[in-house]
């Protein structure tokens, strides 16, 4: 017997008007009230800054239970994928919905591997950037510029074109990321190698120089592959929501992913790993931890404990648990018994998790509390941390973009607003205006 469709009744107490709103239920997770017809039925908009309670789409890609600390990619627990899978297998899973057979994986790996080179002319873009440019700034520009090179594959209404664009993005992202790094250290860009895995290839493009033979350390390769798996997707996070929003107008996929990279850059999102390491360096020693905990709790101080707290997880982020363990294993196997920053991070976590403020608000370490420690052990500099995240998350971005483009229910994302500005008023001629005191300030002495 099929279940009766559920509704929720909304009663406007001012007018007594009742409206039945349909309930949408996914495979798992809380039910949602379909408010798409709310304005037509009631004349009201819904107000939800930051989408605290609003599901913006239906998706089959990733499931999170923030209360229990559960993360599933296409139904598979992140712990199992982290232990038994590889990044390209996970990429296939996220894109196509099922784990590949051996033949399918070999074919997918071959396709991605053979798309890793970038157009030679694209290399000119890197030379145009200041040597001290943040690599994320370079990423935003260069990835956006891919739309100018690969417009042969951007008929977004053709599923095959969408797939080719997705393959190109996944394949070229490590090449662009490593080139951004090489530019910042003044070394020649290193070409990809087709005999290496996705992670190993990235490491050689980052660290090889033309004058020496470069051997990829298998421990480093596995650690990086693991980080790529853990960062591959996280349902409707800010950057993925940005890619969907940009793509909802029918925009070019490379430009949409550039928008996602911009969103990821912020310290409240992907910039957190970089911010964590800078914070730990600033804290310096265990003795200083209580002072920084006090600052994090002080509402008049903008300081927050970076790598702590999450919009969805109100429990330990399952990815942070895996990364914490990997830090221990990796530091041991690279012969670095202890990294002082790792010791400090462990102590900071311990102290914070005994503090009423963090317990009450259910603030636990998130994925990026420990990931920077692994990147450091791999020799990846701090300004590259968010770039590493972008490389991994590209598969999530394109999987969501493809899902959205194939969804007949998809519409241009066009939020409403609660207008709080001036009421209607008449134009005042310039000679009659009084100074309001908030014009632009002079820009003397700033870099042009
Ligand atoms: N340090 C101190 N206080 C915090 C922290 C923190 N890291 N995070 C949240 N809080 C407090 C807030 O001040 C707020 O307190 P209040 O209720 O007394 O006002 C309460 O906890 C709830 O926080 P919100 O900011 O409302 O939660 P929101 O879901 O909007 O933000 C976010 C989540 C942005 C991740 C936040 O926890 C944060 O800024 N963390 C630090 C940055 C970080 O690590 N970001 C990475 C997130 S994971 C990722 O993107 C990969």
């Amino acid at each position: 017997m099929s279940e009766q469709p559920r509704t929720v009744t909304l009663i406007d107490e001012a007018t007594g008007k009742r409206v039945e709103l349909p309930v949408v239920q996914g495979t798992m997770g809380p039910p949602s009230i379909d408010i798409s017809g709310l304005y037509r039925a009631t004349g009201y908009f819904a107000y939800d800054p930051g989408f605290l309670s609003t599901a913006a789409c239906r998706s089959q890609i990733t499931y999170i239970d923030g209360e229990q600390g559960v993360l599933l990619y296409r139904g598979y627990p992140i712990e199992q994928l982290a232990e038994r899978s590889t990044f390209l297998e996970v990429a296939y899973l996220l894109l196509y919905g099922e784990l590949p057979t051996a033949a399918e994986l070999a074919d997918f790996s071959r396709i991605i591997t053979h798309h890793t080179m970038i157009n030679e002319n694209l290399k000119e873009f890197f030379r145009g950037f200041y040597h001290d440019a943040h690599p994320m700034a370079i990423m935003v520009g260069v990835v956006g510029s891919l739309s100018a090179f690969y417009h042969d594959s951007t008929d977004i209404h053709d599923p095959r074109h969408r797939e080719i664009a997705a393959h190109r993005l996944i394949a070229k992202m490590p090449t662009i990321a490593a080139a951004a790094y090489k530019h910042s250290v003044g070394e020649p860009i290193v070409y990809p190698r087709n005999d290496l895995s996705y992670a190993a290839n990235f490491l050689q493009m980052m660290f090889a120089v033309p004058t020496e033979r470069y051997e990829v350390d298998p421990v480093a390769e596995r650690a990086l592959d693991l980080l790529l798996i853990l960062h591959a997707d996280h349902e409707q996070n800010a950057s993925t929501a940005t890619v969907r929003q940009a793509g909802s107008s029918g925009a070019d996929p490379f430009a949409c992913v550039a928008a996602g990279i911009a969103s990821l850059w912020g310290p409240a999102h992907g910039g957190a790993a970089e911010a964590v390491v800078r914070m730990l360096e600033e804290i310096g020693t265990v003795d200083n931890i209580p002072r920084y905990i006090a600052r994090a709790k002080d509402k008049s101080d903008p300081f927050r404990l970076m790598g702590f707290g999450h919009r969805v997880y109100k429990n330990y982020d399952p990815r942070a648990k895996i990364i914490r363990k990997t830090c221990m294993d990796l530091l041991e196997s690279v012969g670095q018994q202890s990294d002082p920053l790792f010791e400090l991070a462990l102590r900071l976590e311990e102290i914070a998790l005994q503090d009423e403020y963090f317990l009450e608000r259910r603030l636990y370490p998130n994925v990026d509390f420990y990931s920077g420690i692994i990147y450091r052990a791999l020799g990846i500099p701090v300004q590259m941390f968010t770039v590493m995240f972008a490389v991994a998350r590209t598969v999530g971005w394109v999987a969501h973009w493809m899902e959205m483009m194939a969804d007949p229910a998809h519409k241009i994302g066009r939020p409403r607003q609660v207008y709080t500005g001036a009421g209607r008023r008449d134009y005042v001629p310039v000679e009659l205006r009084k100074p309001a005191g908030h014009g632009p300030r002079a820009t003397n002495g700033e870099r042009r």
Side-chain angles (χ1 to χ4, degrees):
M1 209 175 73
S2 67
E3 260 185 48
Q4 283 288 89
R6 270 180 64 198
T7 57
V8 164
T9 308
L10 191 75
I11 303 169
D12 183 345
E13 290 188 344
T15 61
K17 190 173 173 188
R18 298 163 69 92
V19 181
E20 301 278 316
L21 295 169
V23 170
V24 180
Q25 181 63 64
T27 334
M28 293 186 275
S32 301
I33 302 169
D34 179 351
I35 56 163
S36 55
L38 184 70
Y39 177 61
R40 215 172 332 110
T42 66
Y44 287 107
F45 290 148
Y47 176 60
D48 183 17
F51 298 104
L52 289 178
S53 307
T54 301
C57 60
R58 295 176 196 242
S59 180
Q60 300 181 353
I61 301 173
T62 290
Y63 174 74
I64 304 173
D65 180 337
E67 296 295 323
Q68 302 299 323
V70 170
L71 170 61
L72 312 176
Y73 290 167
R74 301 281 189 184
Y76 295 102
I78 192 67
E79 294 80 3
Q80 291 182 20
L81 295 169
E83 194 185 325
R84 299 167 63 181
S85 189
T86 61
F87 176 67
L88 277 190
E89 187 177 69
V90 166
Y92 184 102
L93 173 69
L94 289 169
L95 278 183
Y96 297 106
E98 296 297 336
L99 285 169
T101 62
E104 285 165 341
L105 180 58
D107 200 32
F108 182 64
S109 303
R110 187 188 51 74
I111 291 168
I112 297 300
T113 305
H114 286 85
H115 274 107
T116 49
M117 277 173 66
I118 51 175
N119 188 298
E120 280 298 293
N121 292 328
L122 200 70
K123 284 162 67 177
E124 300 303 320
F125 279 66
F126 293 92
R127 286 194 200 113
F129 286 101
Y130 254 47
H131 67 281
D132 62 354
H134 195 289
M136 280 300 275
I138 299 180
M139 295 299 287
V140 173
V142 175
V143 173
S145 80
L146 292 177
S147 8
F149 288 88
Y150 300 110
H151 39 78
D152 63 326
S153 65
T154 48
D155 174 2
I156 53 156
H157 302 294
D158 181 337
R160 177 67 189 133
H161 278 209
R162 296 201 291 263
E163 187 183 28
I164 295 171
H167 291 165
R168 282 183 167 146
L169 275 157
I170 295 166
K172 293 183 198 308
M173 200 61 115
T175 316
I176 295 171
Y181 170 66
K182 287 296 195 190
H183 173 75
S184 72
V185 290
E187 289 180 6
I189 290 173
V190 174
Y191 285 101
R193 263 176 52 190
N194 289 357
D195 60 323
L196 296 177
S197 74
Y198 193 87
N201 185 37
F202 179 75
L203 289 170
Q204 78 89 22
M205 288 190 291
M206 277 284 290
F207 299 120
V209 286
T211 45
E212 278 170 28
R213 205 178 146 71
Y214 180 78
E215 293 291 342
V216 181
D217 174 356
V219 175
E221 178 184 355
R222 177 61 195 141
L224 178 57
D225 200 65
L226 179 80
L227 283 182
L228 293 171
I229 293 172
L230 297 179
H231 285 90
D233 192 46
H234 213 233
E235 49 119 304
Q236 308 305 319
N237 56 87
S239 56
T240 304
T242 302
V243 171
R244 276 185 176 261
Q245 174 74 8
S248 74
S249 67
D252 175 279
F254 301 105
C256 295
V257 168
I261 295 171
S263 167
L264 184 75
W265 192 0
H269 188 12
E274 179 174 342
V276 168
V277 166
R278 296 199 193 285
M279 174 189 76
L280 292 172
E281 282 169 348
E282 192 185 315
I283 295 175
T285 63
V286 171
D287 301 347
N288 290 331
I289 291 176
R291 190 156 56 83
Y292 281 86
I293 297 263
R295 282 189 60 192
K297 289 157 51 173
D298 179 357
K299 295 292 170 203
S300 62
D301 188 330
F303 176 79
R304 279 189 165 198
L305 218 51
M306 298 315 291
F308 256 75
H310 196 276
R311 168 61 59 79
V312 183
Y313 293 119
K314 301 302 166 199
N315 203 323
Y316 214 101
D317 180 337
R319 302 165 300 171
K321 260 189 210 155
I322 301 168
I323 292 183
R324 190 178 191 270
K325 163 90 175 48
T326 309
C327 279
M328 291 180 183
D329 298 348
L330 180 71
L331 291 174
E332 213 173 69
S333 62
V334 294
Q336 204 178 327
Q337 284 307 325
S338 69
D339 173 346
L341 284 199
F342 183 45
E343 301 299 323
L344 193 62
L346 287 172
R347 195 73 190 105
L348 179 59
E349 176 193 331
E350 196 183 320
I351 295 175
L353 294 187
Q354 285 166 5
D355 192 298
E356 221 18 67
Y357 175 94
F358 293 90
L359 292 175
E360 238 172 45
R361 291 168 180 75
R362 302 203 285 166
L363 301 170
Y364 292 89
N366 61 49
V367 65
D368 281 331
F369 190 64
Y370 289 109
S371 59
I373 310 283
I374 302 190
Y375 291 138
R376 271 163 57 92
L378 298 180
I380 292 169
V382 75
Q383 72 274 17
M384 282 295 289
F385 291 0
T386 320
V387 176
M388 305 302 296
F389 196 157
V391 170
R393 186 54 56 86
T394 297
V395 61
W397 291 332
V398 295
H400 280 271
W401 175 74
M402 290 194 11
E403 183 180 65
M404 178 187 72
M405 294 308 296
D407 181 355
H410 118 251
K411 284 188 180 329
I412 184 168
R414 201 315 186 176
R416 299 299 193 140
Q417 63 167 15
V418 177
Y419 174 71
T420 59
R424 187 196 177 285
R425 49 186 172 167
D426 290 322
Y427 182 84
V428 181
V430 69
E431 63 279 10
L432 299 180
R433 288 175 213 160
K434 299 198 175 67
H438 40 62
R441 280 176 296 158
T443 54
N444 293 341
E446 286 165 17
R447 198 191 254 193
R448 282 164 217 273

